[in-house]
Amino acid sequence: MSSTHLRPISAALPLLLLLLISAVASPLLSSAQAPAATPWPPQFHAALFMNNSKGTLQLVDLWYDLPNGRNLNAIRDQLSPSVLHDVEWDNGTSYYYTLGDGGSCQTMHFPVGILRPDWLDGASYLGRSRVDGFLCDGWAKVDFIRYYEDVATKRPVFWAFFNGMTAHVMTFEVGAVLEDAGWQAPAYCFGKKEGADGPKLAAASGVSRGYPMAGLGALGRSMSS
Ligand SMILES: *[C@@H]1O[C@H](CO)[C@@H](O)[C@H](O)[C@H]1NC(C)=O
Ligand SMILES: *[C@@H]1O[C@H](CO)[C@@H](O)[C@H](O)[C@H]1NC(C)=O
């Protein structure tokens, strides 16, 4: 072998070194970057224990169903005989209703659809902390929400809206889907003028569309308007 054969190799050496260094360094670099929140699964059921910050405690069944373009919060105030249903369709229509004797319904329209799985994209990383007894990564969306997920399982654990409302995630069932009948608004939701009471009914339980759960009342609405 003559030295001319070696030359291309030695010329390539710095380049190889560079590749090697960057291959070693890149995991280090990316681990120094803030982690992103885990996107929501397209379908899940979660039972939430909420405190609406005005002193009312609530049990909320959240059914998120992206493929079918719908999101439901069934909200029971502590010891209340009735459950407020907040059914949000991706076309912008929301039904707020109670069932049974004295059941009522309000329909509202919003310019936004339901939350997307990556709705936490762009949130700022808050680091790791222990929340509800779980080691969590946390994120904040400015002036809106702090959100924590379990480091080990990536499940959401807790979130707090900036209006003081808090949610503790008690169960999180990935892939659970509520049967169609559970989404059907009662007959008295249809065939009448949209009530001006809609916001009242919704605000009574702090419901607002487009934000995770029931909750943010005026906050969510002010964000989307
Ligand atoms: C609910 O929130 C209010 C206001 O932050 C607080 O005073 C109260 O202790 C909370 N209740 C529970 C059970 O955590
Ligand atoms: C949106 O979809 C729901 C459920 O199918 C329906 O009841 C409602 O009328 C629709 N709204 C509009 C504006 O089409």
Side-chain angles (χ1 to χ4, degrees):
M1 274 200 179
S2 78
S3 63
T4 53
H5 281 109
L6 278 172
R7 201 166 293 137
I9 294 173
S10 48
L13 253 179
L15 212 123
L16 277 171
L17 265 173
L18 203 80
L19 283 172
L20 210 90
I21 287 167
S22 55
V24 170
S26 63
L28 295 175
L29 284 176
S30 55
S31 72
Q33 279 165 9
T38 303
W40 276 4
Q43 294 174 313
F44 68 85
H45 168 244
L48 309 174
F49 170 71
M50 299 194 67
N51 181 341
N52 78 353
S53 83
K54 297 176 201 96
T56 303
L57 303 182
Q58 299 171 323
L59 274 183
V60 177
D61 276 301
L62 163 64
W63 297 90
Y64 179 72
D65 189 350
L66 183 70
N68 292 302
R70 57 197 186 181
N71 186 64
L72 186 154
N73 296 289
I75 303 151
R76 183 187 292 277
D77 287 359
Q78 184 173 18
L79 292 177
S80 167
S82 68
V83 174
L84 176 67
H85 294 75
D86 160 18
V87 175
E88 306 170 352
W89 294 94
D90 208 26
N91 62 15
T93 302
S94 285
Y95 300 100
Y96 302 97
Y97 57 87
T98 53
L99 298 171
D101 280 352
S104 62
C105 179
Q106 302 297 337
T107 304
M108 291 178 74
H109 293 283
F110 294 86
V112 292
I114 64 172
L115 278 186
R116 294 299 175 240
D118 62 356
W119 63 277
L120 277 163
D121 274 11
S124 49
Y125 184 54
L126 298 172
R128 289 203 165 160
S129 53
R130 198 155 273 279
V131 179
D132 288 351
F134 297 84
L135 181 65
C136 289
D137 284 315
W139 293 268
K141 272 217 149 174
V142 180
D143 291 342
F144 172 52
I145 195 172
R146 282 181 297 122
Y147 181 96
Y148 295 88
E149 74 176 34
D150 183 30
V151 168
T153 65
K154 306 290 184 194
R155 290 180 298 192
V157 169
F158 171 82
W159 55 80
F161 298 108
F162 278 67
N163 68 357
M165 177 170 255
T166 54
H168 305 263
V169 181
M170 307 304 288
T171 69
F172 191 71
E173 302 161 69
V174 174
V177 181
L178 180 64
E179 57 185 347
D180 283 350
W183 299 86
Q184 182 56 57
Y188 46 85
C189 288
F190 302 94
K192 59 165 188 176
K193 210 170 82 55
E194 273 165 39
D197 284 347
K200 238 188 279 167
L201 184 66
S205 259
V207 172
S208 159
R209 181 196 183 79
Y211 293 103
M213 300 43 249
L216 335 205
L219 238 182
R221 263 191 295 282
S222 66
M223 296 255 312
S224 58
S225 62

